[in-house]
Structure formats: structure tokens, C-alpha cells
Amino acid sequence: MSIRTLGLGENLREYLLSVSLREPEILTLLRQETSLHQMGIMQISPEQGQFMALLVQLMGAKKTLEVGVFTGYSALVIALALPSDGKVIACDISEEYTSVACRYWQKAGVSHKIDLHVAPAVETLDKLLKAGEAETFDFVFIDADKSNYDNYYERALKLVRPGGLIAIDNVLWSGKVADPAIKDNRTKKIRALNQKLHQDERVNLSMVPIGDGLTLAMKN
């Protein structure tokens, strides 16, 4: 995991942020609070957040899905980028983490755009499918437990519309995926999904070296 783009030197990253990042104050405050958390490394980088917001705006997205909320930075980024009638369905299992998220969503005035489901994400996704929500989402962001990444991806592929986009975080996994000597379960799961996506003709694909690696899969 990485709160900044891998392989980018500090001087160059600071320059990139100085001429690119347009982070609203509410996002800066949330990022600063999260950095003090013992699990703060799970926070996405601000440059990645801005990149995803731009993708959502380019798509004209209105209905999005997030698997893995943590303290709510990515959901807030997307909610701010959506139109007034946009919606984020957000999935997480932690009331502790999402309580921070809800506080900032309220401060930012976007709580009405975010529908939080505190439950195992697979259960929430299956409920959405059973409720007839297949092919109704424009954008999906997956950033949760790596052991379930393939389960999330397969359900996301059913939920997203043709031409919709699935963004999968941590696909470079701090560089561990490129080291064959590393064989822990989470690394193996991410490697397997990366290989699967490379061969998956149901999507068009690009792996972007931003943050901890972000795969973009557009449904055909």
C-alpha cells in the first residue's frame, strides 16, 4: 500500500503536486486526519483521487460504487465530482472507520449523495444484483480486502454498464507483485487478478502507475 505514487522521488512528487493538485480544503483536512491513524497508509494519494475525479467527470458519471471506504477520502473525491443528482453506493465493514468518513461527508455537504452500507461487501453487491441493479453503474472503485478482489471484480462487471469503468487499487502492491520470492496470500491474489485481467476480453484495459498502481477496466 502507498499514500503516494510509487517510484516517484520526493522532489519530483512535490513539483507534480505543486503544479497539478487542486485539492479542496475539506479533502486536505480529511487526508491530514487520516495520516495520524495507525492504518493511515490505506489512504489513497491525492494525485490518484484527483485523477479518478477527472475520469468520473469525463464519463459524465452519475451512479458510482465503492468497495472499501476506510475514512472516506475516495468516496468524498467522487461525490464532489458528481452532479447534484449523482450517487455513490459505498461498502465497508467498519463502523469505526466510516464514522470519520460520515463526519467529513457531512461537512462537505455531500452526505445526500452517498449511500453507506456497513456489511460484508460481497453481500451488498449480491443484494444490488438481486434488486435489479445490473448494468446501472457508471463507475466502480475497488479498494478493500485483497483476498476478495476477484469476487468484487466479477460482481462489479455485472453491475457496471457497457462502457462503464472499473478502477482497481493496489495492483502494484508496493512492488511485491514483481518479486517472485514473495508468496504471501494477498500478493498471490493480486498477481492472479492482474493476470486474469490481462486476458479478460470482456474489458479494455490499462494499468496506470499512479499511487500503488491503478487498473482501469472498461466493460465492453
Side-chain angles (χ1 to χ4, degrees):
M1 292 178 282
S2 176
I3 58 174
R4 60 185 61 203
T5 295
L6 294 175
L8 201 59
E10 187 62 28
N11 288 343
L12 187 55
R13 179 174 184 270
E14 288 300 320
Y15 175 77
L16 181 151
L17 295 180
S18 73
V19 297
S20 173
L21 187 63
R22 298 177 177 180
E23 186 178 49
E25 183 181 11
I26 189 67
L27 284 170
T28 303
L29 292 172
L30 173 52
R31 185 161 55 85
Q32 290 172 342
E33 179 172 336
T34 302
S35 71
L36 302 176
H37 193 283
Q38 62 178 351
M39 297 300 292
I41 196 171
M42 295 198 302
Q43 173 76 68
I44 67 167
S45 67
E47 61 267 30
Q48 178 179 329
Q50 183 167 293
F51 177 64
M52 294 195 305
L54 182 61
L55 291 176
V56 164
Q57 291 172 322
L58 283 169
M59 296 175 66
K62 286 190 174 183
K63 186 176 181 183
T64 73
L65 174 64
E66 176 163 305
V67 181
V69 174
F70 189 38
T71 57
Y73 187 94
S74 52
L76 180 52
V77 163
I78 299 303
L80 289 170
L82 292 175
S84 59
D85 60 343
K87 179 65 70 175
V88 180
I89 306 298
C91 308
D92 204 284
I93 59 171
S94 173
E95 292 186 359
E96 176 189 352
Y97 297 162
T98 57
S99 66
V100 178
C102 290
R103 177 157 47 87
Y104 278 89
W105 298 342
Q106 184 69 35
K107 286 182 180 180
V110 298
S111 291
H112 65 287
K113 294 183 182 181
I114 304 174
D115 184 7
L116 176 63
H117 295 255
V118 181
V122 168
E123 293 180 9
T124 301
L125 301 182
D126 284 342
K127 286 180 180 179
L128 291 171
L129 289 168
K130 289 179 182 177
E133 301 276 359
E135 298 195 340
T136 65
F137 287 85
D138 301 302
F139 177 84
V140 180
F141 180 48
I142 299 174
D143 183 17
D145 57 302
K146 312 314 168 191
S147 61
N148 266 313
Y149 257 30
D150 189 64
N151 289 326
Y152 299 146
Y153 170 68
E154 286 297 332
R155 286 162 174 80
L157 200 56
K158 294 176 182 177
L159 288 162
V160 76
R161 63 169 171 80
L165 189 66
I166 301 170
I168 306 170
D169 200 27
N170 304 121
V171 293
L172 293 179
W173 201 229
S174 300
K176 294 177 183 177
V177 289
D179 185 347
I182 298 177
K183 299 179 181 180
D184 65 276
N185 184 61
R186 289 186 296 174
T187 302
K188 289 194 293 184
K189 290 286 187 179
I190 296 171
R191 278 197 198 108
L193 182 62
N194 288 343
Q195 290 291 338
K196 173 178 175 174
L197 283 162
H198 188 217
Q199 305 298 326
D200 194 343
E201 296 185 356
R202 297 172 295 176
V203 298
N204 286 328
L205 184 71
S206 180
M207 184 183 286
V208 182
I210 193 170
D212 195 27
L214 185 70
T215 286
L216 303 177
M218 185 183 75
K219 182 176 177 176
N220 292 326

